[in-house]
């Protein structure tokens, strides 16, 4: 999958359209049901995706203007906004999701070429603004799965799944205490190694299933492991 933010915008548009179609079919009772995220309903998930779009708009604005503009006013304000919006009726949830996605699209399309290299302060540290489009795509795709409304990690494209997989492996290799493992996507010769290769179990399967399992969105039922049983990945993000 390309790293070019302008080319990735099409992927964001398509992922957002899938989420909007799914969200449009949810009733008030559906939105009150638990999501895959502990303590969050589906309403929390949809509100979070909307507020994430606005956070990305803030960071794109900071990159474009050079002003100090954080993604969120504070962690407390972020949590309060999500809680406040979680119980809204389906029409308001959907309208907010659509409008916030449009604001993000317009902000990204209005970025001058040189602004994409500007550093912005994210929850993961200082990153180039060019990374924000991938970050938005990841948020939409992962939280669509979190909605627990029929969209699964297995539905992710191979290109998206592999990029997410590489990112998670890199993140895990920067930590301590992560169980060693060797990962192989079906149909791919290249292997990804977490920790020390010697004696580590080989975990194989579709890229989406591997990525979903590593980030705690699937139990790994579609994967094979040898020798032994599946390791237990740490919490992701």
């Amino acid at each position: 999958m390309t790293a070019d933010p302008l080319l990735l915008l099409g992927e964001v548009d398509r992922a957002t359209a899938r989420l909007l179609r799914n969200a449009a079919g949810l009733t008030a009772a559906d939105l009150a049901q638990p999501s895959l995220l502990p303590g969050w309903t589906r309403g929390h998930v949809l509100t979070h995706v909307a507020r994430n779009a606005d956070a990305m708009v803030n960071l794109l604005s900071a990159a474009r203007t050079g002003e100090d503009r954080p993604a969120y006013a504070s962690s407390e304000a972020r949590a309060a906004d999500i809680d406040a919006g979680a119980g809204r009726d389906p029409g308001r949830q959907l309208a907010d999701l659509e409008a916030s996605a449009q604001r993000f699209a317009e902000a990204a399309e209005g970025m001058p070429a040189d602004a994409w290299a500007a550093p912005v302060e994210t929850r993961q540290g200082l990153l180039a603004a060019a990374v924000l489009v991938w970050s938005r795509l990841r948020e939409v795709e992962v939280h669509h799965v979190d909605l627990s409304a029929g969209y699964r990690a297995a539905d992710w494209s191979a290109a998206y799944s592999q990029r997410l997989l590489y990112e998670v492996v890199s993140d895990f290799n920067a930590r301590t205490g992560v169980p060693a493992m060797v990962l192989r996507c079906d149909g791919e010769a290249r292997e990804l190694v977490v920790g020390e290769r010697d004696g580590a179990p080989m975990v194989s399967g579709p890229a989406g299933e591997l990525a979903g399992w590593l980030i705690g969105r699937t139990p790994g039922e579609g994967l094979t492991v040898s020798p032994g049983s599946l390791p237990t990945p740490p919490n992701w993000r």
Side-chain angles (χ1 to χ4, degrees), residues 148-204:
S148 190
Y151 190 72
R152 305 167 303 150
D155 296 319
W156 291 336
S157 72
Y160 168 82
S161 299
Q162 288 173 2
R163 177 164 179 175
L164 178 61
L165 192 59
Y166 278 62
E167 182 177 78
V168 175
V169 167
S170 177
D171 177 43
F172 284 179
N173 275 322
R175 302 193 204 178
T176 59
V178 179
M181 64 189 85
V182 180
L183 308 172
R184 178 181 287 173
C185 300
D186 288 350
E188 298 287 330
R190 185 175 181 182
E191 298 170 350
L192 299 177
V193 182
V194 177
E196 296 295 329
R197 174 187 287 271
D198 290 347
M202 169 77 74
V203 184
S204 306

Side-chain angles (χ1 to χ4, degrees), residues 100-136:
S100 59
Q102 184 60 34
R103 289 192 291 271
F104 171 79
E106 291 172 356
E109 289 167 2
M111 284 280 284
D114 59 350
W116 288 112
V120 291
E121 187 65 47
T122 73
R123 289 166 64 86
Q124 284 74 50
L126 205 61
L127 299 174
V131 177
L132 296 177
V133 180
W134 160 253
S135 297
R136 177 59 181 171

Side-chain angles (χ1 to χ4, degrees), residues 51 55 58 69-82 123:
R51 299 290 70 78
N58 288 338
R69 190 169 182 179
Y72 300 95
S74 66
S75 295
E76 293 77 13
R78 172 182 176 272
D81 284 345
I82 294 170
R123 289 166 64 86

Side-chain angles (χ1 to χ4, degrees), residues 8-24:
L8 270 181
L9 284 174
E11 295 294 331
V12 174
D13 289 344
R14 286 184 283 275
T16 301
R18 288 191 293 270
L19 175 59
L20 288 170
R21 286 194 298 270
N22 203 346

Side-chain angles (χ1 to χ4, degrees), residues 44-71:
H44 284 88
V45 172
L46 291 183
T47 303
H48 168 62
V49 174
R51 299 290 70 78
N52 171 263
D54 288 335
M56 294 295 171
V57 170
N58 288 338
L59 294 179
L60 290 172
S61 177
R64 188 181 68 252
T65 65
E67 298 175 358
D68 183 12
R69 190 169 182 179

Side-chain angles (χ1 to χ4, degrees), residues 140-153:
V140 173
E141 289 284 52
V142 170
H143 290 310
H144 194 172
V145 172
D146 288 334
L147 204 58
S148 190
Y151 190 72
R152 305 167 303 150

